[in-house]
């Protein structure tokens, strides 16, 4: 069985790129879409079943949820990239050790971050923009999510590694299990049992618990090509450093997104006057919509990751480039669909989440402005994750920080003062455009460098090289 799976992993270096992208990306896209759908469904149930202030309260939790995800992806992305590169070097023992270490780090992050955040939750939510009208909703939802972080972190962390080590369909199934349970339980908890927004969070955690059991079963099974092996050890400082160096990019992306969303929420509360909470709720609708398409692009990049990591580790530069270029076109096409839909049926999309006419009006304006250049967002995401997948964390971090901090924060400071609520939406558009241009420039210089580096088809192993 292991020889069969090893041969399957080696196909990453020989099979047609298009076929591999279908094999790895389709399950990842399905899993990502499913995750996005249950976030949307949760928001719909909350907005329709609890009310517009609950939607606003949920929007207040977005920054904190970004941090929650960030501390998980710090381990998950780094570990799945390292394991792919090890497999490209035919080093199954080190890939196995990486799985053991990832589980330990996921549990440690969940206990430390989840525990501290739970203790100081209400002051944090006030800092993030919660008002007297929204803090009870935000607090109820977040407390349940934080209690479940040990399960969530291990599930998400190991599920990424499952996909990277040759099991994309099983990784898809675990995500679908989580989503399916959540979608079944959420309306029961909200409408039948009247548990409100806390019921939506509880349904999420129960769904992830079912998927957690599925993932653990996979990694405890010796039939799995890469699985838990207590003899391999649960700590290696060199591997831990590599995990953190690569995982630092998505972590910083989520951490800076947390900071930016706080800044954005406060800008909306400041310029919208009495409609501040309604405007924050409208942003929550916009955020759920844009994340739907972003998650599909992430599915593509997750499918690309094992192909890129394996071939970069095997020094097969031609296959790395072909994978990247195909991914760029896919990213552009996916976000182009988002642009078409939000420009043609914005009110119908908003009406899924709320019946509040003022919130729908604000969301309509936000859709028309923010999605103006949305197709290039998919390209920028693919390029950023490309650097992450080949073990070039510094470039990925740079691209993330330029969009969030160098461009968006200054624009959010100045434009709302001039244009009011519209200034918030235009700040997001301008920062996306500038981030796209920056990503293209960095990619051109990086590609020229690698063309020279791999010109002689050097076969020397390259493990998580520095940017």
């Amino acid at each position: 069985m292991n020889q069969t799976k090893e041969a399957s992993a080696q196909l990453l270096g020989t099979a047609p790129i298009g076929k591999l992208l279908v094999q790895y990306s389709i399950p990842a896209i399905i899993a990502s879409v499913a995750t996005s759908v249950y976030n949307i469904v949760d928001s719909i149930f909350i907005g329709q079943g609890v009310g517009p202030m609950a939607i606003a309260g949920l929007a207040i939790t977005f920054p904190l949820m970004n941090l929650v995800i960030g501390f998980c992806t710090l381990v998950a992305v780094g570990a799945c990239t390292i394991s792919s590169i090890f497999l490209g070097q035919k080093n199954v023992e080190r890939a196995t050790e990486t799985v053991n270490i990832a589980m330990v780090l996921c549990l440690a992050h969940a206990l430390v971050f989840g525990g501290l955040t739970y203790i100081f939750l209400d002051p944090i939510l006030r800092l993030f923009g919660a008002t007297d009208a929204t803090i009870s909703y935000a607090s109820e939802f977040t407390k349940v999510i934080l209690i479940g972080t040990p399960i969530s972190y291990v599930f998400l962390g190991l599920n990424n590694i499952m996909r990277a080590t040759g099991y994309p369909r099983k990784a898809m199934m675990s995500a679908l299990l989580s989503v399916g349970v959540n979608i079944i339980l959420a309306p029961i908890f909200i409408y039948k049992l009247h548990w409100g927004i806390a019921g939506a969070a509880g349904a999420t955690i129960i769904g992830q618990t079912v998927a957690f059991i599925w993932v653990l079963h996979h990694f405890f099974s010796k039939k799995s090509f890469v699985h838990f092996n207590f003899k391999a050890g649960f700590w290696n400082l060199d591997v831990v450093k590599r995990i953190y160096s690569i995982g630092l990019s998505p972590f910083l992306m989520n951490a800076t997104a947390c900071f930016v969303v706080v800044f954005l929420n406060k800008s909306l509360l400041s310029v919208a006057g009495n409609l501040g909470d309604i405007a924050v709720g409208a942003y929550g609708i916009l955020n759920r919509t844009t994340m739907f398409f972003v998650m599909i692009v992430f599915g593509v990049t997750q499918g690309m990751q094992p192909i890129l990591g394996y071939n970069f580790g095997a020094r097969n530069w031609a296959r790395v480039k072909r994978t990247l270029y195909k991914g760029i076109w896919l990213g552009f096409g996916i976000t182009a669909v988002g642009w078409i839909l939000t420009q043609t049926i914005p009110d119908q999309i908003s009406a899924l989440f709320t019946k509040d006419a003022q919130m729908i009006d604000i969301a309509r304006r936000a859709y028309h402005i923010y999605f103006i250049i949305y197709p290039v967002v998919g390209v920028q995401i693919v390029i950023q994750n490309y650097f992450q997948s080949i073990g070039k964390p510094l470039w990925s971090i740079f691209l993330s920080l330029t969009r969030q901090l160098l461009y968006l924060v200054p624009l959010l400071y100045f434009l709302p003062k001039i244009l009011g609520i519209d200034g918030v939406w235009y700040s997001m558009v301008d920062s996306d455009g500038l981030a796209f241009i920056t990503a293209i420039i960095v990619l051109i210089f990086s590609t020229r460098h690698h063309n020279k580096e791999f010109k002689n088809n050097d076969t020397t192993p390259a493990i998580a090289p520095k940017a």
Side-chain angles (χ1 to χ4, degrees):
M1 176 64 72
N2 281 354
Q3 289 179 347
T4 302
K5 293 309 297 180
E6 183 174 7
S8 178
Q10 290 174 354
L11 288 175
L12 291 167
T14 59
I17 297 297
K19 180 180 178 180
L20 287 172
L21 278 174
V22 170
Q23 179 184 345
Y24 280 84
S25 290
I26 294 300
I29 289 171
I30 292 172
S32 295
V33 168
T35 301
S36 183
V37 165
Y38 90 70
N39 284 331
I40 290 172
V41 169
D42 267 357
S43 298
I44 291 172
F45 287 145
I46 290 168
Q48 301 289 355
V50 186
M53 285 301 101
I55 282 285
L58 186 65
I60 292 296
T61 70
F62 290 166
L64 192 53
M65 292 303 100
N66 280 331
L67 274 183
V68 170
I69 294 170
F71 277 98
C72 181
T73 56
L74 179 59
V75 177
V77 173
C80 75
T81 301
I82 291 297
S83 61
S84 292
I85 294 175
F86 280 141
L87 288 179
Q89 299 166 353
K90 313 296 189 294
N91 196 336
V92 180
E93 182 179 347
R94 298 301 298 277
T96 300
E97 183 182 42
T98 302
V99 175
N100 294 352
I101 293 170
M103 186 180 69
V104 172
L105 293 177
C106 283
L107 286 172
H109 282 211
L111 293 173
V112 173
F113 173 73
L116 290 175
T117 306
Y118 191 94
I119 293 171
F120 300 104
L121 180 58
D122 281 4
I124 292 172
L125 291 174
R126 289 285 187 183
L127 179 65
F128 286 0
T131 64
D132 290 341
T134 59
I135 191 166
S136 61
Y137 297 110
S139 180
E140 284 180 35
F141 182 84
T142 309
K143 282 179 178 177
V144 177
I145 295 296
L146 290 174
I147 290 171
T149 49
I151 289 172
S152 302
Y153 276 32
V154 173
F155 156 54
L156 294 172
L158 294 184
N159 202 51
N160 274 273
I161 298 176
M162 182 191 295
R163 181 183 302 108
T165 53
Y167 297 88
R169 290 185 180 179
K170 291 189 76 172
M172 175 190 72
M173 285 302 302
S174 60
L176 290 176
L177 274 173
S178 173
V179 172
V181 172
N182 180 75
I183 290 177
I184 291 170
L185 293 181
I188 296 173
F189 290 173
I190 294 173
Y191 294 107
K192 297 294 183 182
L193 299 180
H194 304 289
W195 290 352
I197 197 169
T204 298
I205 296 301
I206 293 173
Q208 290 180 345
T209 301
V210 174
F212 163 82
I213 295 170
W214 165 271
V215 172
L216 281 187
H217 178 267
H218 168 84
F219 280 103
F220 274 113
S221 173
K222 292 184 179 180
K223 294 181 180 179
S224 301
F225 179 45
V226 177
H227 54 81
F228 290 132
N229 185 343
F230 297 127
K231 295 180 181 179
F234 287 83
W235 190 259
N236 182 310
L237 188 58
D238 180 55
V239 173
V240 171
K241 287 180 179 178
R242 289 173 178 170
I243 288 174
Y244 281 141
S245 69
I246 294 174
L248 188 61
S249 170
F251 170 76
L252 289 177
M253 182 176 69
N254 283 286
T256 53
C258 166
F259 171 73
V260 167
V261 173
V262 170
F263 205 89
L264 191 150
N265 283 341
K266 288 185 175 293
S267 294
L268 288 171
L269 290 169
S270 175
V271 300
N274 294 333
L275 294 177
D277 287 326
I278 296 295
V280 170
Y283 168 68
I285 294 173
L286 177 76
N287 180 278
R288 283 296 191 235
T289 306
T290 188
M291 284 307 297
F292 175 79
F293 297 100
V294 167
M295 289 298 288
I296 299 176
V297 179
F298 279 156
V300 172
T301 62
Q302 288 170 359
M304 293 169 60
Q305 185 276 319
I307 307 169
L308 290 169
Y310 186 98
N311 285 286
F312 195 82
R315 312 291 284 182
N316 195 333
W317 175 234
R319 289 177 64 82
V320 170
K321 286 194 294 184
R322 287 200 297 273
T323 304
L324 168 64
Y325 297 149
K326 288 180 182 292
I328 285 175
W329 281 110
L330 284 170
F332 179 86
I334 290 164
T335 43
V337 173
W339 171 75
I340 293 170
L341 291 176
T342 54
Q343 299 306 299
T344 55
I345 54 168
D347 287 3
Q348 290 87 335
I349 296 173
S350 298
L352 293 173
F353 298 90
T354 183
K355 299 175 183 177
D356 189 277
Q358 291 177 319
M359 191 175 290
I360 291 174
D361 286 342
I362 295 174
R364 181 193 311 119
R365 181 67 176 167
Y367 280 134
H368 284 156
I369 295 174
Y370 174 68
F371 280 82
I372 290 174
I373 60 168
Y374 195 61
V376 303
V377 171
V379 177
Q380 195 270 340
I381 292 171
V382 169
I383 294 173
Q384 180 179 317
N385 282 273
Y386 155 73
F387 287 112
Q388 182 178 290
S389 296
I390 64 171
K392 299 283 187 179
L394 294 183
W395 284 121
S396 186
I397 291 169
F398 170 74
L399 293 178
S400 173
L401 294 183
T402 52
R403 192 268 178 185
Q404 302 280 11
L405 296 182
L406 183 62
Y407 301 141
L408 184 53
V409 169
L411 289 168
L412 278 173
Y413 181 78
F414 289 108
L415 289 186
K417 294 181 179 180
I418 302 170
L419 302 174
I421 294 179
D422 283 356
V424 175
W425 316 133
Y426 278 115
S427 297
M428 298 166 69
V429 173
D430 293 346
S431 64
D432 282 339
L434 292 169
F436 166 73
I437 294 170
T438 304
I440 292 296
I441 294 172
V442 170
L443 180 63
I444 290 171
F445 280 99
S446 171
T447 301
R448 288 177 178 174
H449 168 74
H450 284 125
N451 282 337
K452 294 178 182 178
E453 180 183 353
F454 293 108
K455 186 175 182 179
N456 297 321
N457 195 27
D458 182 12
T459 57
T460 304
I463 304 176
K466 296 180 181 179

